């Protein structure tokens, strides 16, 4: 099930790549039980090995815009969301623990504020940095328990709880049918809207399509707190035009990069080289000491088939 070779089929090697998890598309069949409007909610709990530290845990409750205020008339179409559940984190090997639930939540006075609150907590926690999300984990998991416990107002569409061994990037489909009801060989993914097809025809059951992606670079590394602080200091010292101070700040940034558990080695080398290049653009051939030089530009770096029943 590979409609896009730019996502699926890329090799995943420990310590040599980052991984990301996205929800690509879904179909909400169970929501038909509600005669009124409802929201679609995605819950995820992901665990993975972390260099020199305890297993990392990332949790989120999200309500993508396309899943807000739906009604039963919208359930005959596939909803394409491409919603990120896990930002780029270094893959250290072992297994990826993945719990995922797709819920329909009835839009009532009690449920909507709770869902909105838990969603905001998840957004504040972030999806890429373990240290940032950790304080929010109890609030997210307790919020999910509170929502899921309202059985009159909540329906689960599909769910997955698995430990995955990653060899290459791939798509995963979770289908609300009994195991064995659909042959994996008959399932394909429409490259236009990521809807599931069985023998070339749209699947009528509820489902959720995930992608486990591999990437060699972390585009949002500027949000890592210790790197952001070190880079700000480096930039400010270059603006001052004092080469010695800028060299010391560059070395501090280098140390922050090479000691960061949120980066893989090849990306560390790339970022150090970028900072060295920026330093040289300002100071090569220029004065040393307290003499002013032109300030630098403002640069910021910164298919498996599962049944659910």
């Amino acid at each position: 099930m590979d409609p896009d070779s730019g996502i699926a089929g890329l090799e995943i090697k420990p310590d040599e790549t980052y991984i990301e998890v996205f929800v690509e598309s879904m179909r909400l069949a169970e929501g038909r039980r509600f005669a009124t409007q409802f929201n679609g909610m995605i819950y995820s709990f992901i665990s993975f090995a972390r260099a020199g530290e305890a297993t990392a845990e990332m949790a989120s409750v999200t309500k993508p815009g396309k899943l807000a205020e739906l009604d039963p008339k919208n359930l005959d179409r596939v909803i394409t969301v491409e919603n990120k559940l896990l930002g780029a984190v270094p893959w250290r090997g072992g297994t990826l623990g993945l719990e995922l639930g797709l819920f329909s939540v009835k839009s009532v006075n009690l449920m909507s504020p709770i869902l909105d609150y838990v969603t905001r907590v998840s957004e504040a926690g972030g999806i890429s940095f373990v240290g940032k999300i950790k304080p929010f984990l109890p609030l997210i998991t307790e919020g999910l328990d509170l929502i899921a416990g309202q059985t009159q107002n909540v329906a689960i569409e599909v769910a997955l709880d698995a430990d995955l061994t990653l060899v290459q990037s791939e798509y995963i489909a979770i289908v609300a049918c009994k195991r064995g009801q659909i042959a994996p060989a008959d399932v394909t993914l429409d490259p236009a809207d990521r809807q599931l097809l069985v023998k070339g025809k749209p699947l009528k059951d509820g489902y959720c399509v995930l992608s486990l992606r591999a990437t060699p670079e972390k585009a949002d590394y500027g949000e890592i707190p210790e790197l952001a602080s070190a880079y700000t200091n480096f930039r400010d010292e270059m603006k001052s035009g004092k080469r010695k101070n800028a060299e010391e700040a560059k070395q501090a940034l280098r140390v922050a990069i090479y000691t960061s558990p949120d980066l893989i080695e090849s990306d560390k080398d790339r970022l150090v080289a970028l900072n060295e290049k920026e330093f040289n653009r300002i100071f090569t051939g220029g004065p040393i000491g307290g003499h002013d030089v032109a300030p630098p530009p403002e640069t910021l770096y910164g298919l498996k088939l599962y049944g659910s029943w």
Side-chain angles (χ1 to χ4, degrees):
M1 192 168 73
D2 180 10
D4 185 350
S5 59
I7 292 178
L10 302 177
E11 187 175 14
I12 295 177
K13 291 184 178 181
D15 302 315
E16 295 183 17
T17 188
Y18 299 100
I19 59 169
E20 299 174 298
V21 180
F22 282 77
V23 171
E24 299 287 342
S25 64
M26 62 193 67
R27 190 171 189 275
L28 307 177
E30 290 300 318
R32 296 174 190 271
R33 71 182 63 178
F34 297 138
T36 185
Q37 289 185 321
F38 60 92
N39 294 291
M41 181 191 82
I42 302 169
Y43 164 75
S44 66
F45 187 89
I46 304 174
S47 60
F48 50 90
R50 187 165 166 86
E53 299 182 14
T55 298
E57 298 177 336
M58 307 289 284
S60 69
V61 173
T62 61
K63 187 182 66 175
K66 292 183 179 180
L67 298 181
E69 295 300 324
L70 296 173
D71 61 68
K73 296 179 181 179
N74 287 314
L75 293 172
D76 288 328
R77 64 184 178 86
V78 174
I79 302 171
T80 304
V81 292
E82 196 173 17
N83 189 77
K84 187 182 292 187
L85 300 180
L86 179 67
V89 297
W91 178 243
R92 304 301 184 186
T95 58
L96 180 75
L98 177 59
E99 296 178 25
L100 182 133
L102 174 61
F103 296 82
S104 297
V105 181
K106 188 175 180 180
S107 295
V108 295
N109 291 338
L110 171 64
M111 295 302 299
S112 296
I114 296 174
L115 179 55
D116 290 342
Y117 172 73
V118 178
T119 299
R120 289 196 299 271
V121 170
S122 296
E123 291 173 348
I127 56 175
S128 296
F129 308 109
V130 177
K132 187 176 181 181
I133 189 65
K134 191 173 181 179
F136 295 92
L137 283 175
L139 291 175
I140 295 171
T141 54
E142 290 171 12
L144 174 72
D145 290 341
L146 181 60
I147 293 170
Q150 305 296 318
T151 56
Q152 297 298 316
N153 298 313
V154 179
I156 189 167
E157 303 279 343
V158 291
L160 172 68
D161 185 354
D163 290 325
L164 308 177
T165 300
L166 305 187
V167 177
Q168 64 180 17
S169 58
E170 58 188 336
Y171 290 96
I172 291 178
I174 313 165
V175 183
C177 67
K178 292 184 177 180
R179 191 182 302 274
Q181 182 176 325
I182 300 174
D186 294 336
V187 180
T188 56
L189 195 59
D190 190 319
D193 58 9
R194 300 291 196 268
Q195 72 171 307
L196 281 183
L197 307 175
V198 178
K199 296 182 178 180
K201 297 183 179 180
L203 179 63
K204 297 301 183 181
D205 295 303
Y207 62 79
C208 182
V209 177
L210 307 175
S211 64
L212 303 177
R213 305 187 185 186
T215 179
E217 298 180 358
K218 186 174 180 63
D220 60 353
Y221 75 90
E223 295 184 22
I224 301 174
E226 60 268 27
L227 265 64
S229 176
Y231 182 74
T232 297
N233 184 51
F234 172 55
R235 180 191 58 196
D236 290 344
E237 292 298 349
M238 286 199 301
K239 284 183 175 180
S240 74
K242 298 180 180 180
R243 180 166 183 162
K244 182 179 179 181
N245 292 349
E247 285 180 333
E248 292 175 352
K250 182 183 67 172
Q251 177 59 21
L253 177 55
R254 178 188 181 95
V255 171
I257 290 172
Y258 277 125
T259 57
S260 174
D262 293 303
L263 299 172
I264 59 175
E265 295 305 311
S266 60
D267 213 16
K268 293 177 181 179
D269 292 339
R270 178 182 69 89
L271 297 179
V272 167
L274 285 174
N275 295 325
E276 188 69 35
K277 181 178 180 180
E278 186 173 8
F279 177 87
N280 289 335
R281 288 175 61 186
I282 303 303
F283 291 105
T284 298
I288 300 176
H291 302 291
D292 292 336
V293 296
E298 290 282 355
T299 304
L300 292 179
Y301 294 120
L303 154 78
K304 292 186 179 133
L305 186 65
Y306 293 86
S308 177
W309 64 92

